[in-house]
Amino acid sequence: PGRGGSRQCRHVSEDAGFDSSELITLRSLYFSPIARLLFDLDSDVIGFTGRKADVDTLAEALDRDGAREMFEALEEDGVAKLIDAGLSPSILSEALEALGESATADRLAAVRTPLPLLEDWLRSNTKLQVAIAAYFGGHAVLHGYKVVHLPAKLTPKAFISAHWHHDRAGRRLKLFILLNDVDEVEGHPTQVAKGSHKLSYYWHEDFEQSRYDDGYVQSKFETVKMAGNKGMAYIFDTNSIHKGTPEGSLGRNVIVVEYHQAAKCGLISTMDLNIPCPSGDQRPLNWHFSLDERLA
């Protein structure tokens, strides 16, 4: 069903009625080597291992810090909106100043300038940390961030993220913070296929196998556009099928923050695999946090 077209079925869903032993059997029989590795590395996120297997402890952490709503949205849909994220105007201004003239340029741009006010907010937002750590099964790493500008005019050829795709990295989260109002029609919003984060893909080795046709996505999933006002944020699992909207007439500026399960990217890096974990084009932080810290 995707742009590659060489495989009639390229994924299996955790919601397809399989129990854990059946999913593990499918992994052994049909998944490619990298797909098997990512499936194993994501076992805490899927819930085979880690804190998700301890429901009572997980609930205690979520309720203590008011993180349940965000966590449950991520679990169910793979995406959550943070309408009132508590971001001060100075945090948004700091990021826009880092972009400088690129904030209104007619080309794609990204900067990795240190943003101390943003980093203070990320460190102090315990609700966000707890929801993310819980989603990853107990332990998470904030790998880094960048500030990105999309110009008013975009084409799918110039903007490869305009095609429906997953990120070929298994389960991970990206937080987007809007630095200007993003209109649903004209503002190039991110679109996410709800529930597709639960797919385990048979094949990760080829770039084309991560791309999907619009007709297939629209027929199988409810899709949502992550539009909103300046200062709103949203977080989603990039294992979801998603895309940037190429149509539109207004530029978009965002902060993008990237999170993974704590042990995942280190193991991938040690094995020197062609998996974007973490993304290389960001300001690195590598901050570790866990539910154990909140429950101590």
Side-chain angles (χ1 to χ4, degrees):
R3 302 182 68 85
S6 61
R7 290 174 175 79
Q8 293 303 307
C9 181
R10 294 186 290 142
H11 55 241
V12 61
S13 174
E14 296 162 28
D15 286 342
F18 300 109
D19 61 28
S20 59
S21 63
E22 289 171 323
L23 280 173
I24 291 169
T25 299
L26 286 170
R27 165 216 177 274
S28 300
L29 291 175
Y30 299 113
F31 286 13
S32 72
I34 288 180
R36 289 197 297 270
L37 174 68
L38 288 173
F39 184 86
D40 293 344
L41 291 177
D42 288 337
S43 64
D44 281 5
V45 192
I46 297 169
F48 294 156
T49 54
R51 286 292 192 184
K52 286 183 179 178
D54 184 354
V55 177
D56 292 339
T57 302
L58 189 67
E60 179 185 348
L62 292 170
D63 291 338
R64 178 185 297 181
D65 288 285
R68 178 178 290 277
E69 183 178 359
M70 191 189 312
F71 169 79
E72 290 182 346
L74 287 170
E75 283 286 289
E76 180 67 22
D77 299 327
V79 59
K81 276 190 174 184
L82 288 65
I83 303 297
D84 183 10
L87 290 149
S88 67
S90 56
I91 294 175
L92 308 183
S93 297
E94 177 186 57
L96 287 171
E97 289 171 7
L99 271 175
E101 293 182 357
S102 294
T104 56
D106 60 359
R107 65 187 184 281
L108 290 163
V111 298
R112 297 127 189 117
T113 306
L115 303 176
L117 297 179
L118 172 69
E119 293 181 18
D120 288 346
W121 179 83
L122 291 169
R123 280 191 184 278
S124 63
N125 195 322
T126 55
K127 180 166 74 172
L128 180 65
Q129 291 180 9
V130 167
I132 290 170
Y135 184 75
F136 284 129
H139 301 273
V141 166
L142 191 170
H143 274 290
Y145 62 84
K146 59 185 174 183
V147 189
V148 179
H149 167 73
L150 296 186
K153 298 296 183 182
L154 281 171
T155 65
K157 183 177 180 179
F159 182 44
I160 61 172
S161 295
H163 301 287
W164 287 109
H165 67 284
H166 63 84
D167 280 4
R168 298 177 53 248
R171 305 292 283 271
R172 76 163 165 212
L173 294 172
K174 285 190 176 180
L175 171 71
F176 280 58
I177 299 169
L178 304 186
L179 299 177
N180 55 271
D181 294 345
V182 174
D183 182 76
E184 185 173 288
V185 176
E186 300 295 336
H188 304 298
T190 301
Q191 299 187 51
V192 181
K194 292 172 64 175
S196 61
H197 65 302
K198 297 179 181 179
L199 299 178
S200 291
Y201 303 98
Y202 292 137
W203 195 262
H204 284 262
E205 280 77 352
D206 297 328
F207 179 81
E208 66 177 5
Q209 293 296 332
S210 66
R211 264 47 192 170
Y212 283 77
D213 289 328
D214 183 72
Y216 172 78
V217 175
Q218 298 295 345
S219 70
K220 297 296 183 181
F221 301 99
E222 177 188 353
T223 62
V224 291
K225 293 182 177 180
M226 307 310 293
N229 296 327
K230 179 178 180 178
M232 190 204 87
Y234 58 91
I235 186 168
F236 74 101
D237 190 329
T238 67
N239 193 60
S240 302
I241 300 172
H242 63 282
K243 72 171 185 174
T245 305
E247 300 83 12
S249 61
L250 302 172
R252 188 188 79 171
N253 298 310
V254 295
I255 301 169
V256 183
V257 187
E258 184 172 300
Y259 301 86
H260 293 88
Q261 194 276 341
K264 183 174 180 177
C265 293
L267 290 170
I268 288 172
S269 177
T270 299
M271 299 173 74
D272 195 27
L273 296 173
N274 183 27
I275 300 173
C277 179
S279 301
D281 58 339
Q282 57 188 338
R283 172 169 171 75
L285 293 179
N286 298 313
W287 294 346
H288 176 271
F289 53 95
S290 75
L291 290 184
D292 294 343
E293 297 164 359
R294 302 303 301 164
L295 294 169

